[in-house]
Protein backbone atom coordinates (compact mmCIF):
# COMPACT_ATOMS: atom_id res chain seq x y z
CA UNK A 1 0.00 0.00 0.00
CA UNK A 2 0.84 4.15 3.00
CA UNK A 3 -1.68 4.10 1.57
CA UNK A 4 1.24 -0.98 0.09
CA UNK A 5 -0.32 -1.50 -0.33
CA UNK A 6 -1.07 -0.49 -3.74
CA UNK A 7 -4.51 -1.33 -4.94
CA UNK A 8 -3.71 -3.02 -8.21
CA UNK A 9 -2.32 -6.38 -9.31
CA UNK A 10 0.71 -7.74 -7.48
CA UNK A 11 0.00 -6.10 -4.12
CA UNK A 12 -3.75 -6.19 -4.12
CA UNK A 13 -4.15 -9.73 -5.28
CA UNK A 14 -1.86 -10.83 -2.50
CA UNK A 15 -2.60 -8.36 0.24
CA UNK A 16 -5.52 -10.25 1.75
CA UNK A 17 -3.41 -13.38 2.04
CA UNK A 18 -0.47 -11.31 3.20
CA UNK A 19 -2.42 -9.81 6.04
CA UNK A 20 -3.84 -13.15 7.05
CA UNK A 21 -0.30 -14.49 7.01
CA UNK A 22 0.63 -11.82 9.51
CA UNK A 23 -1.32 -13.45 12.28
CA UNK A 24 -4.30 -11.13 11.90
CA UNK A 25 -2.28 -8.10 12.87
CA UNK A 26 -2.84 -6.24 9.63
CA UNK A 27 0.65 -7.12 8.78
CA UNK A 28 2.54 -5.51 11.62
CA UNK A 29 3.41 -3.04 8.88
CA UNK A 30 0.72 -0.95 10.37
CA UNK A 31 1.74 -0.83 14.01
CA UNK A 32 3.64 2.42 14.31
CA UNK A 33 2.61 6.04 14.40
CA UNK A 34 1.27 6.88 10.95
CA UNK A 35 3.60 9.80 10.31
CA UNK A 36 6.99 10.67 11.65
CA UNK A 37 8.11 13.66 9.61
CA UNK A 38 6.18 16.68 10.86
CA UNK A 39 5.85 16.67 14.63
CA UNK A 40 4.97 20.35 14.89
CA UNK A 41 1.23 19.72 14.94
CA UNK A 42 1.32 16.47 16.88
CA UNK A 43 -0.56 16.45 20.13
CA UNK A 44 -1.45 20.12 19.91
CA UNK A 45 -5.12 20.56 20.82
CA UNK A 46 -5.18 23.71 18.74
CA UNK A 47 -4.26 21.75 15.64
CA UNK A 48 -7.91 20.78 15.06
CA UNK A 49 -11.34 21.83 16.17
CA UNK A 50 -11.71 20.57 19.78
CA UNK A 51 -13.98 17.62 20.33
CA UNK A 52 -15.28 19.25 23.49
CA UNK A 53 -17.28 21.89 21.59
CA UNK A 54 -20.34 19.62 21.56
CA UNK A 55 -23.16 21.27 23.53
CA UNK A 56 -23.56 19.62 26.93
CA UNK A 57 -27.33 19.12 26.60
CA UNK A 58 -27.24 17.52 23.17
CA UNK A 59 -28.45 13.93 23.12
CA UNK A 60 -25.63 11.44 22.43
CA UNK A 61 -25.58 10.08 18.89
CA UNK A 62 -25.99 6.31 18.84
CA UNK A 63 -23.64 4.61 16.37
CA UNK A 64 -22.89 0.96 15.71
CA UNK A 65 -19.43 0.22 14.31
CA UNK A 66 -18.31 -3.03 12.69
CA UNK A 67 -14.58 -3.63 12.36
CA UNK A 68 -11.95 -6.38 12.21
CA UNK A 69 -10.25 -7.44 15.43
CA UNK A 70 -6.50 -7.93 15.10
CA UNK A 71 -5.99 -9.24 18.62
CA UNK A 72 -6.96 -12.51 20.27
CA UNK A 73 -9.70 -11.04 22.47
CA UNK A 74 -12.26 -8.25 22.31
CA UNK A 75 -11.02 -5.14 24.15
CA UNK A 76 -12.76 -3.96 27.31
CA UNK A 77 -14.71 -0.68 27.30
CA UNK A 78 -11.87 1.41 28.76
CA UNK A 79 -11.17 3.32 25.54
CA UNK A 80 -14.76 3.23 24.29
CA UNK A 81 -16.04 4.91 27.41
CA UNK A 82 -13.51 7.70 27.12
CA UNK A 83 -14.28 8.23 23.44
CA UNK A 84 -18.01 8.39 24.17
CA UNK A 85 -17.42 11.17 26.72
CA UNK A 86 -15.23 13.14 24.34
CA UNK A 87 -17.56 12.81 21.34
CA UNK A 88 -21.00 12.78 22.99
CA UNK A 89 -21.88 9.42 21.48
CA UNK A 90 -23.20 6.04 22.54
CA UNK A 91 -21.05 3.56 20.64
CA UNK A 92 -21.61 -0.12 19.97
CA UNK A 93 -18.51 -1.84 18.61
CA UNK A 94 -19.02 -5.10 16.74
CA UNK A 95 -15.58 -6.72 16.68
CA UNK A 96 -15.08 -9.77 14.49
CA UNK A 97 -11.83 -11.75 14.12
CA UNK A 98 -9.70 -10.47 11.25
CA UNK A 99 -9.04 -13.99 9.97
CA UNK A 100 -12.71 -14.51 9.13
CA UNK A 101 -13.76 -10.88 8.74
CA UNK A 102 -14.35 -11.00 5.00
CA UNK A 103 -16.84 -13.83 5.45
CA UNK A 104 -18.75 -11.83 8.06
CA UNK A 105 -18.62 -8.73 5.88
CA UNK A 106 -20.02 -10.55 2.86
CA UNK A 107 -22.73 -12.27 4.88
CA UNK A 108 -23.81 -8.99 6.45
CA UNK A 109 -23.83 -7.29 3.05
CA UNK A 110 -25.95 -10.09 1.57
CA UNK A 111 -28.51 -9.89 4.38
CA UNK A 112 -28.59 -6.09 4.53
CA UNK A 113 -27.40 -6.10 8.15
CA UNK A 114 -24.30 -3.90 7.94
CA UNK A 115 -24.29 -1.23 10.67
CA UNK A 116 -23.99 2.56 10.25
CA UNK A 117 -20.20 2.41 10.23
CA UNK A 118 -18.56 -0.48 8.39
CA UNK A 119 -14.81 -0.88 8.25
CA UNK A 120 -13.37 -3.13 5.59
CA UNK A 121 -10.43 -5.45 6.24
CA UNK A 122 -7.82 -4.06 3.88
CA UNK A 123 -7.32 -2.68 0.38
CA UNK A 124 -8.17 -6.01 -1.26
CA UNK A 125 -11.56 -6.03 0.48
CA UNK A 126 -12.12 -2.51 -0.82
CA UNK A 127 -11.56 -3.72 -4.38
CA UNK A 128 -14.10 -6.50 -3.82
CA UNK A 129 -16.63 -4.04 -2.37
CA UNK A 130 -16.62 -1.73 -5.40
CA UNK A 131 -19.47 -3.62 -7.05
CA UNK A 132 -21.74 -2.97 -4.07
CA UNK A 133 -20.59 0.65 -4.00
CA UNK A 134 -21.52 1.06 -7.67
CA UNK A 135 -24.88 -0.56 -6.94
CA UNK A 136 -25.65 2.37 -4.64
CA UNK A 137 -25.48 0.49 -1.34
CA UNK A 138 -23.23 3.05 0.34
CA UNK A 139 -23.40 6.80 0.83
CA UNK A 140 -21.28 9.08 -1.31
CA UNK A 141 -19.63 11.33 1.28
CA UNK A 142 -17.35 13.52 -0.84
CA UNK A 143 -19.73 16.49 -1.05
CA UNK A 144 -20.07 16.60 2.75
CA UNK A 145 -16.41 16.76 3.79
CA UNK A 146 -16.14 20.51 3.25
CA UNK A 147 -18.71 20.97 6.05
CA UNK A 148 -16.42 19.34 8.62
CA UNK A 149 -13.27 21.25 9.59
CA UNK A 150 -11.21 18.20 10.49
CA UNK A 151 -12.38 15.73 7.86
CA UNK A 152 -11.61 18.38 5.25
CA UNK A 153 -7.93 18.10 6.26
CA UNK A 154 -7.63 14.54 4.94
CA UNK A 155 -5.03 14.31 2.17
CA UNK A 156 -6.48 14.85 -1.27
CA UNK A 157 -4.06 12.45 -2.99
CA UNK A 158 -5.00 9.61 -0.65
CA UNK A 159 -8.71 10.39 -0.92
CA UNK A 160 -8.33 10.25 -4.69
CA UNK A 161 -6.78 6.79 -4.36
CA UNK A 162 -9.96 5.58 -2.67
CA UNK A 163 -12.48 7.07 -5.08
CA UNK A 164 -14.77 4.85 -7.14
CA UNK A 165 -15.60 6.22 -10.57
CA UNK A 166 -14.40 9.62 -9.41
CA UNK A 167 -16.66 9.71 -6.33
CA UNK A 168 -15.67 9.44 -2.67
CA UNK A 169 -17.52 6.95 -0.48
CA UNK A 170 -14.98 6.30 2.25
CA UNK A 171 -12.70 7.73 4.90
CA UNK A 172 -9.21 6.25 5.15
CA UNK A 173 -6.92 4.94 7.88
CA UNK A 174 -3.62 6.58 6.97
CA UNK A 175 -0.23 4.91 6.86
CA UNK A 176 3.30 6.06 5.97
CA UNK A 177 3.94 5.76 2.27
CA UNK A 178 7.16 3.75 2.40
CA UNK A 179 8.34 2.08 5.60
CA UNK A 180 9.91 -0.99 4.01
CA UNK A 181 13.58 -1.76 4.57
CA UNK A 182 16.11 -4.15 6.08
CA UNK A 183 16.31 -5.26 9.71
CA UNK A 184 19.56 -7.07 10.47
CA UNK A 185 21.83 -8.40 13.20
CA UNK A 186 24.35 -5.60 13.69
CA UNK A 187 26.33 -7.69 16.19
CA UNK A 188 26.82 -10.36 13.52
CA UNK A 189 27.83 -7.75 10.95
CA UNK A 190 30.32 -6.19 13.37
CA UNK A 191 31.81 -9.60 14.18
CA UNK A 192 32.31 -10.32 10.48
CA UNK A 193 33.56 -6.83 9.67
CA UNK A 194 30.56 -5.96 7.51
CA UNK A 195 29.20 -2.45 7.19
CA UNK A 196 25.50 -1.66 6.76
CA UNK A 197 24.55 -2.63 3.19
CA UNK A 198 24.62 0.19 0.66
CA UNK A 199 23.69 -1.80 -2.45
CA UNK A 200 21.63 -4.84 -3.39
CA UNK A 201 24.93 -6.65 -3.97
CA UNK A 202 25.87 -5.83 -0.37
CA UNK A 203 22.57 -7.31 0.83
CA UNK A 204 23.30 -10.54 -1.04
CA UNK A 205 26.86 -10.62 0.32
CA UNK A 206 25.61 -10.14 3.87
CA UNK A 207 23.07 -12.96 3.48
CA UNK A 208 25.82 -15.29 2.29
CA UNK A 209 28.27 -14.22 5.03
CA UNK A 210 25.66 -14.71 7.75
CA UNK A 211 25.18 -18.25 6.41
CA UNK A 212 28.74 -19.31 5.76
CA UNK A 213 30.95 -17.52 8.32
CA UNK A 214 29.55 -18.67 11.67
CA UNK A 215 28.36 -15.24 12.86
CA UNK A 216 27.08 -16.63 16.17
CA UNK A 217 30.47 -18.16 16.90
CA UNK A 218 29.27 -21.60 18.00
CA UNK A 219 31.27 -23.45 15.37
CA UNK A 220 28.17 -24.98 13.80
CA UNK A 221 26.62 -24.34 10.36
CA UNK A 222 23.27 -23.43 11.89
CA UNK A 223 22.63 -19.85 10.72
CA UNK A 224 21.09 -18.36 7.58
CA UNK A 225 21.12 -14.86 6.21
CA UNK A 226 17.56 -14.01 5.22
CA UNK A 227 14.30 -15.11 6.83
CA UNK A 228 11.40 -14.74 4.38
CA UNK A 229 7.78 -15.85 4.05
CA UNK A 230 5.03 -16.75 1.60
CA UNK A 231 4.29 -13.16 0.69
CA UNK A 232 5.69 -11.49 -2.42
CA UNK A 233 4.45 -8.08 -1.28
CA UNK A 234 5.24 -7.57 2.40
CA UNK A 235 7.96 -10.18 2.46
CA UNK A 236 11.36 -9.56 0.91
CA UNK A 237 10.57 -9.74 -2.80
CA UNK A 238 8.69 -6.52 -3.56
CA UNK A 239 11.02 -4.36 -1.48
CA UNK A 240 14.12 -5.90 -3.04
CA UNK A 241 12.52 -5.51 -6.48
CA UNK A 242 11.85 -1.84 -5.82
CA UNK A 243 15.52 -1.32 -4.90
CA UNK A 244 16.29 -2.65 -8.37
CA UNK A 245 13.90 -0.15 -9.94
CA UNK A 246 10.96 -2.47 -10.65
CA UNK A 247 7.73 -0.48 -11.20
CA UNK A 248 5.20 -0.47 -8.40
CA UNK A 249 2.55 -2.87 -9.75
CA UNK A 250 2.31 -0.91 -12.99
CA UNK A 251 4.83 1.06 -15.00
CA UNK A 252 4.88 2.96 -18.26
CA UNK A 253 6.38 1.26 -21.30
CA UNK A 254 6.05 2.38 -24.91
CA UNK A 255 3.54 5.03 -23.90
CA UNK A 256 1.16 2.79 -22.00
CA UNK A 257 0.81 1.13 -18.62
CA UNK A 258 2.09 -2.42 -18.32
CA UNK A 259 2.17 -4.74 -15.28
CA UNK A 260 5.41 -4.85 -13.31
CA UNK A 261 6.15 -8.48 -14.14
CA UNK A 262 6.60 -7.60 -17.82
CA UNK A 263 9.63 -5.40 -17.02
CA UNK A 264 13.25 -6.65 -17.07
CA UNK A 265 13.78 -5.42 -13.51
CA UNK A 266 11.23 -7.98 -12.30
CA UNK A 267 13.30 -10.76 -13.87
CA UNK A 268 16.44 -9.27 -12.29
CA UNK A 269 14.70 -9.30 -8.90
CA UNK A 270 13.79 -12.97 -9.25
CA UNK A 271 17.40 -13.66 -10.20
CA UNK A 272 18.65 -12.00 -6.99
CA UNK A 273 16.20 -13.96 -4.85
CA UNK A 274 17.21 -17.13 -6.67
CA UNK A 275 20.88 -16.38 -6.01
CA UNK A 276 20.23 -16.03 -2.29
CA UNK A 277 18.16 -19.21 -2.16
CA UNK A 278 20.60 -21.21 -4.32
CA UNK A 279 23.37 -20.21 -1.88
CA UNK A 280 21.16 -21.60 0.93
CA UNK A 281 21.40 -18.14 2.47
CA UNK A 282 17.68 -18.06 3.26
CA UNK A 283 15.03 -20.53 4.38
CA UNK A 284 14.64 -22.86 1.42
CA UNK A 285 10.87 -23.31 1.81
CA UNK A 286 10.05 -19.61 2.09
CA UNK A 287 7.11 -19.93 -0.30
CA UNK A 288 5.41 -22.14 2.30
CA UNK A 289 6.59 -20.21 5.39
CA UNK A 290 4.10 -18.23 7.48
CA UNK A 291 4.97 -14.88 9.00
CA UNK A 292 4.94 -16.48 12.43
CA UNK A 293 7.57 -18.99 11.35
CA UNK A 294 9.57 -16.28 9.57
CA UNK A 295 9.62 -14.18 12.73
CA UNK A 296 10.67 -17.22 14.77
CA UNK A 297 13.65 -17.77 12.46
CA UNK A 298 14.86 -14.29 13.30
CA UNK A 299 13.96 -14.10 16.99
CA UNK A 300 15.39 -17.55 17.75
CA UNK A 301 18.78 -16.33 16.56
CA UNK A 302 18.92 -18.55 13.49
CA UNK A 303 18.47 -15.87 10.80
CA UNK A 304 20.18 -12.50 10.65
CA UNK A 305 18.15 -10.52 8.11
CA UNK A 306 14.50 -9.56 7.70
CA UNK A 307 13.25 -7.45 4.77
CA UNK A 308 9.86 -5.88 5.35
CA UNK A 309 8.29 -3.19 7.50
CA UNK A 310 11.04 -1.53 9.52
CA UNK A 311 8.46 -0.83 12.24
CA UNK A 312 8.57 -4.57 12.99
CA UNK A 313 11.98 -4.02 14.60
CA UNK A 314 10.54 -3.35 18.07
CA UNK A 315 8.78 -6.69 18.41
CA UNK A 316 11.59 -8.56 16.66
CA UNK A 317 14.19 -7.09 18.99
CA UNK A 318 12.08 -7.67 22.08
CA UNK A 319 11.73 -11.39 21.38
CA UNK A 320 15.25 -11.83 20.02
CA UNK A 321 17.00 -10.54 23.13
CA UNK A 322 15.00 -12.97 25.26
CA UNK A 323 16.73 -15.78 23.38
CA UNK A 324 20.03 -14.03 22.64
CA UNK A 325 20.63 -11.35 25.31
CA UNK A 326 23.75 -10.04 23.55
CA UNK A 327 22.03 -9.51 20.20
CA UNK A 328 21.99 -6.06 18.62
CA UNK A 329 19.73 -5.16 15.70
CA UNK A 330 19.67 -2.23 13.32
CA UNK A 331 17.68 -1.06 10.32
CA UNK A 332 18.75 0.07 6.87
CA UNK A 333 16.99 1.47 3.83
CA UNK A 334 18.09 3.61 0.88
CA UNK A 335 19.65 0.58 -0.81
CA UNK A 336 21.11 1.35 -4.23
CA UNK A 337 20.32 -0.63 -7.36
CA UNK A 338 22.95 -1.66 -9.96
CA UNK A 339 22.99 1.84 -11.49
CA UNK A 340 23.54 3.51 -8.14
CA UNK A 341 19.99 4.86 -8.08
CA UNK A 342 17.76 4.91 -5.03
CA UNK A 343 14.14 3.80 -5.13
CA UNK A 344 11.58 2.01 -3.01
CA UNK A 345 7.88 1.26 -3.34
CA UNK A 346 5.01 3.21 -1.87
CA UNK A 347 1.55 2.21 -0.75
CA UNK A 348 -1.34 4.52 -1.70
CA UNK A 349 -1.22 6.07 1.80
CA UNK A 350 -3.89 3.95 3.49
CA UNK A 351 -4.35 0.41 4.70
CA UNK A 352 -8.10 0.35 5.16
CA UNK A 353 -11.26 2.40 4.66
CA UNK A 354 -14.63 2.84 6.33
CA UNK A 355 -17.98 2.91 4.50
CA UNK A 356 -21.49 4.07 5.45
CA UNK A 357 -24.26 1.68 4.30
CA UNK A 358 -27.52 3.24 3.15
CA UNK A 359 -29.40 0.35 4.72
CA UNK A 360 -28.32 1.51 8.19
CA UNK A 361 -27.83 5.26 7.69
CA UNK A 362 -31.35 6.17 6.65
CA UNK A 363 -31.05 9.80 5.58
CA UNK A 364 -28.74 12.76 5.13
CA UNK A 365 -29.34 14.05 8.63
CA UNK A 366 -28.22 10.74 10.15
CA UNK A 367 -25.19 10.62 7.84
CA UNK A 368 -24.10 14.07 9.00
CA UNK A 369 -24.31 12.94 12.63
CA UNK A 370 -22.11 9.93 11.89
CA UNK A 371 -19.62 12.10 9.98
CA UNK A 372 -19.60 14.53 12.90
CA UNK A 373 -18.33 11.69 15.10
CA UNK A 374 -15.46 11.06 12.70
CA UNK A 375 -14.76 14.78 12.59
CA UNK A 376 -14.32 14.66 16.37
CA UNK A 377 -12.18 11.54 16.03
CA UNK A 378 -9.81 13.69 14.00
CA UNK A 379 -8.99 15.93 16.96
CA UNK A 380 -5.79 15.37 18.96
CA UNK A 381 -7.60 14.53 22.20
CA UNK A 382 -9.78 11.81 20.63
CA UNK A 383 -7.16 10.49 18.19
CA UNK A 384 -4.61 10.17 21.02
CA UNK A 385 -7.04 8.20 23.18
CA UNK A 386 -7.92 5.83 20.35
CA UNK A 387 -4.38 5.42 19.05
CA UNK A 388 -2.23 5.61 22.18
CA UNK A 389 -4.70 5.01 25.02
CA UNK A 390 -5.00 6.77 28.36
CA UNK A 391 -2.07 9.02 29.24
CA UNK A 392 -0.30 7.73 32.34
CA UNK A 393 -1.67 4.22 31.81
CA UNK A 394 -0.87 3.25 28.24
CA UNK A 395 1.65 5.95 27.41
CA UNK A 396 3.48 9.00 28.73
CA UNK A 397 4.54 12.16 26.91
CA UNK A 398 8.27 12.59 26.35
CA UNK A 399 9.61 15.55 24.35
CA UNK A 400 6.15 16.16 22.95
CA UNK A 401 5.80 12.57 21.73
CA UNK A 402 3.97 9.49 22.98
CA UNK A 403 6.15 6.91 24.72
CA UNK A 404 4.32 3.60 24.94
CA UNK A 405 4.05 1.93 28.34
CA UNK A 406 6.29 -1.00 29.11
CA UNK A 407 3.11 -2.95 29.81
CA UNK A 408 2.62 -3.85 26.17
CA UNK A 409 0.18 -6.64 27.00
CA UNK A 410 -2.20 -4.16 28.65
CA UNK A 411 -1.99 -1.77 25.71
CA UNK A 412 -2.47 -4.59 23.24
CA UNK A 413 -5.56 -5.79 25.10
CA UNK A 414 -7.19 -2.43 25.75
CA UNK A 415 -6.08 -0.14 22.91
CA UNK A 416 -5.12 -2.13 19.80
CA UNK A 417 -8.70 -2.81 18.71
CA UNK A 418 -9.45 0.92 18.59
CA UNK A 419 -6.05 2.01 17.32
CA UNK A 420 -6.67 0.21 14.03
CA UNK A 421 -9.71 2.41 13.31
CA UNK A 422 -8.24 5.91 13.65
CA UNK A 423 -8.95 8.07 10.59
CA UNK A 424 -6.19 10.08 8.95
CA UNK A 425 -2.63 10.35 10.22
CA UNK A 426 -0.67 12.51 12.67
CA UNK A 427 -0.33 15.28 10.10
CA UNK A 428 -4.09 15.57 9.72
CA UNK A 429 -5.52 14.53 13.09
CA UNK A 430 -2.82 16.10 15.29
CA UNK A 431 -2.12 13.05 17.44
CA UNK A 432 1.26 12.44 18.99
CA UNK A 433 4.16 11.01 17.06
CA UNK A 434 5.81 8.00 18.68
CA UNK A 435 8.76 8.39 21.05
CA UNK A 436 11.30 5.59 20.66
CA UNK A 437 14.39 4.61 22.61
CA UNK A 438 15.54 1.62 20.54
CA UNK A 439 18.20 3.00 18.21
CA UNK A 440 17.14 0.69 15.40
CA UNK A 441 13.57 2.03 15.59
CA UNK A 442 14.79 5.62 15.63
CA UNK A 443 16.75 4.84 12.47
CA UNK A 444 13.64 3.18 10.99
CA UNK A 445 11.59 6.33 11.50
CA UNK A 446 14.31 8.42 9.87
CA UNK A 447 14.53 6.05 6.92
CA UNK A 448 10.75 6.12 6.53
CA UNK A 449 10.89 9.87 6.02
CA UNK A 450 13.74 9.56 3.52
CA UNK A 451 11.99 6.70 1.71
CA UNK A 452 9.10 8.99 0.82
CA UNK A 453 11.46 11.16 -1.22
CA UNK A 454 12.48 8.24 -3.46
CA UNK A 455 9.21 6.30 -3.44
CA UNK A 456 7.85 4.73 -6.62
CA UNK A 457 4.10 5.29 -6.75
CA UNK A 458 1.60 3.01 -8.43
CA UNK A 459 0.23 4.96 -11.42
CA UNK A 460 -2.86 2.74 -11.46
CA UNK A 461 -3.66 3.01 -7.73
CA UNK A 462 -6.79 5.09 -8.31
CA UNK A 463 -7.85 3.40 -11.57
CA UNK A 464 -10.49 0.75 -12.11
CA UNK A 465 -10.78 -2.25 -14.40
CA UNK A 466 -13.94 -4.32 -14.48
CA UNK A 467 -11.97 -7.36 -15.62
CA UNK A 468 -9.46 -6.91 -12.83
CA UNK A 469 -12.25 -6.66 -10.25
CA UNK A 470 -13.73 -9.89 -11.64
CA UNK A 471 -10.60 -11.91 -12.40
CA UNK A 472 -7.60 -10.06 -10.97
CA UNK A 473 -6.99 -12.26 -7.95
CA UNK A 474 -7.43 -15.47 -9.95
CA UNK A 475 -5.10 -14.26 -12.70
CA UNK A 476 -2.50 -12.99 -10.26
CA UNK A 477 -2.13 -16.52 -8.94
CA UNK A 478 -0.58 -17.42 -12.31
CA UNK A 479 2.16 -14.83 -11.84
CA UNK A 480 2.62 -15.56 -8.14
CA UNK A 481 3.11 -19.27 -8.80
CA UNK A 482 5.42 -18.56 -11.73
CA UNK A 483 7.53 -16.19 -9.60
CA UNK A 484 8.01 -18.82 -6.91
CA UNK A 485 8.74 -21.50 -9.51
CA UNK A 486 11.40 -19.28 -11.11
CA UNK A 487 13.10 -18.53 -7.80
CA UNK A 488 13.01 -22.24 -6.94
CA UNK A 489 14.71 -23.01 -10.26
CA UNK A 490 11.77 -24.94 -11.68
CA UNK A 491 11.04 -22.38 -14.38
CA UNK A 492 13.44 -20.50 -16.65
CA UNK A 493 12.96 -17.12 -18.31
CA UNK A 494 11.21 -18.63 -21.33
CA UNK A 495 8.90 -20.55 -19.01
CA UNK A 496 8.12 -17.41 -17.03
CA UNK A 497 7.32 -15.49 -20.21
CA UNK A 498 5.00 -18.32 -21.23
CA UNK A 499 3.11 -17.83 -17.96
CA UNK A 500 2.83 -14.11 -18.73
CA UNK A 501 1.31 -15.06 -22.09
CA UNK A 502 -1.19 -17.28 -20.24
CA UNK A 503 -2.05 -14.38 -17.92
CA UNK A 504 -2.65 -12.14 -20.91
CA UNK A 505 -4.76 -14.67 -22.82
CA UNK A 506 -7.04 -15.37 -19.86
CA UNK A 507 -7.97 -11.74 -19.30
CA UNK A 508 -4.73 -9.89 -18.66
CA UNK A 509 -4.80 -8.16 -22.05
CA UNK A 510 -8.27 -6.88 -21.21
CA UNK A 511 -7.05 -5.60 -17.84
CA UNK A 512 -4.20 -3.74 -19.54
CA UNK A 513 -6.63 -2.27 -22.04
CA UNK A 514 -9.07 -1.13 -19.35
CA UNK A 515 -6.45 0.40 -17.09
CA UNK A 516 -4.94 2.30 -19.99
CA UNK A 517 -8.33 3.61 -21.04
CA UNK A 518 -8.88 4.88 -17.49
CA UNK A 519 -5.32 6.23 -17.32
CA UNK A 520 -5.79 8.37 -20.42
CA UNK A 521 -9.06 9.95 -19.28
Amino acid sequence: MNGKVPSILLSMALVAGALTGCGGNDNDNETSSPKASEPASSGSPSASTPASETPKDEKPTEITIMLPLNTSETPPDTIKNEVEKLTNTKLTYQFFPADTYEEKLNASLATGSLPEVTYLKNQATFIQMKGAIRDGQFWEIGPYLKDFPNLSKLKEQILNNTKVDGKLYSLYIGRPLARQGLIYRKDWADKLGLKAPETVADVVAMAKAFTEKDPDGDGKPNTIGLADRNDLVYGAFKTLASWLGTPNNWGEKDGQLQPDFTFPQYIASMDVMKEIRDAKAMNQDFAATSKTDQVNLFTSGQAGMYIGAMSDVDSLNKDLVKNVPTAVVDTKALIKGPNGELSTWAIPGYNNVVLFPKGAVKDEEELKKVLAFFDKMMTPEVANVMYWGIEGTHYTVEDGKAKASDNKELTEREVKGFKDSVIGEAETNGMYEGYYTLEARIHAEEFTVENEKIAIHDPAAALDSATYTEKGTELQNIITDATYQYIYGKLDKAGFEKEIATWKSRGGDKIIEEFNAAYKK
Side-chain angles (χ1 to χ4, degrees), residues 331-381:
T331 49
K332 185 68 172 73
L334 310 180
I335 305 292
K336 296 175 184 176
N339 297 323
E341 296 178 356
L342 291 173
S343 57
T344 192
W345 66 283
I347 65 169
Y350 70 97
N351 83 314
N352 199 5
V353 299
V354 57
L355 295 168
F356 308 95
K358 287 184 177 178
V361 182
K362 300 301 183 184
D363 53 35
E364 185 179 55
E365 181 182 1
E366 189 174 345
L367 176 66
K368 288 182 176 180
K369 288 182 178 180
V370 174
L371 291 176
F373 163 69
F374 282 95
D375 194 62
K376 292 171 186 174
M377 186 194 292
M378 284 190 64
T379 59
E381 55 187 328

Side-chain angles (χ1 to χ4, degrees), residues 14 41 72 75 157 237 270 314 337 342 362 381 401 521:
L14 290 171
S41 68
S72 59
Q157 178 186 355
F237 181 76
M270 293 193 295
D314 290 306
L342 291 173
K362 300 301 183 184
E381 55 187 328
K401 298 182 178 181
K521 282 184 180 179

Side-chain angles (χ1 to χ4, degrees), residues 221-390:
N222 56 0
T223 58
I224 58 172
L226 177 66
D228 198 19
R229 67 180 185 268
N230 57 349
D231 181 351
L232 293 177
V233 180
Y234 293 109
F237 181 76
K238 188 173 178 70
T239 296
L240 187 147
S242 71
W243 293 339
L244 291 168
T246 306
N248 187 356
N249 299 321
W250 289 80
E252 195 164 321
K253 181 195 294 185
D254 300 328
Q256 71 167 187
L257 294 181
Q258 294 286 343
D260 57 358
F261 49 81
T262 64
F263 286 75
Q265 295 95 326
Y266 192 97
I267 299 286
S269 304
M270 293 193 295
D271 285 336
V272 171
M273 287 291 290
K274 185 176 186 302
E275 180 182 357
I276 295 172
R277 184 177 180 275
D278 286 352
K280 294 184 169 48
M282 67 184 295
N283 47 313
Q284 296 291 282
D285 60 346
F286 78 98
T289 301
S290 68
K291 181 170 184 179
T292 299
D293 290 338
Q294 175 202 23
V295 166
N296 287 340
L297 284 171
F298 191 90
T299 58
S300 66
Q302 183 178 347
M305 304 168 73
Y306 176 106
I307 297 174
M310 292 181 288
S311 54
D312 286 351
V313 71
D314 290 306
S315 57
L316 290 175
N317 179 73
K318 177 189 172 190
D319 291 336
L320 172 63
V321 296
K322 289 178 182 176
N323 297 313
V324 188
T326 58
V328 178
V329 298
D330 206 352
T331 49
K332 185 68 172 73
L334 310 180
I335 305 292
K336 296 175 184 176
N339 297 323
E341 296 178 356
L342 291 173
S343 57
T344 192
W345 66 283
I347 65 169
Y350 70 97
N351 83 314
N352 199 5
V353 299
V354 57
L355 295 168
F356 308 95
K358 287 184 177 178
V361 182
K362 300 301 183 184
D363 53 35
E364 185 179 55
E365 181 182 1
E366 189 174 345
L367 176 66
K368 288 182 176 180
K369 288 182 178 180
V370 174
L371 291 176
F373 163 69
F374 282 95
D375 194 62
K376 292 171 186 174
M377 186 194 292
M378 284 190 64
T379 59
E381 55 187 328
V382 180
N384 281 329
V385 167
M386 296 188 73
Y387 194 91
W388 294 108
I390 309 298

Side-chain angles (χ1 to χ4, degrees), residues 133-254:
I133 291 172
R134 290 190 174 99
D135 286 344
Q137 298 191 44
F138 298 94
W139 281 93
E140 180 191 354
I141 63 169
Y144 299 98
L145 294 195
K146 67 181 185 303
D147 300 328
F148 296 94
N150 301 317
L151 292 179
S152 62
K153 296 175 184 177
L154 288 167
K155 296 182 179 181
E156 184 176 3
Q157 178 186 355
I158 301 175
L159 290 173
N160 286 339
N161 285 342
T162 68
K163 286 182 177 179
V164 178
D165 300 333
K167 296 180 180 180
L168 183 70
Y169 297 84
S170 59
L171 300 175
Y172 70 83
I173 294 91
R175 289 296 180 263
L177 289 174
R179 59 161 53 133
Q180 309 300 111
L182 170 68
I183 299 170
Y184 70 100
R185 288 286 298 273
K186 186 176 185 301
D187 57 323
W188 283 9
D190 290 346
K191 182 174 185 287
L192 300 179
L194 299 174
K195 295 181 179 178
E198 297 289 337
T199 67
V200 173
D202 292 341
V203 171
V204 175
M206 177 175 278
K208 291 179 179 178
F210 281 180
T211 305
E212 300 164 359
K213 296 187 177 180
D214 191 26
D216 61 357
D218 67 355
K220 300 175 183 178
N222 56 0
T223 58
I224 58 172
L226 177 66
D228 198 19
R229 67 180 185 268
N230 57 349
D231 181 351
L232 293 177
V233 180
Y234 293 109
F237 181 76
K238 188 173 178 70
T239 296
L240 187 147
S242 71
W243 293 339
L244 291 168
T246 306
N248 187 356
N249 299 321
W250 289 80
E252 195 164 321
K253 181 195 294 185
D254 300 328

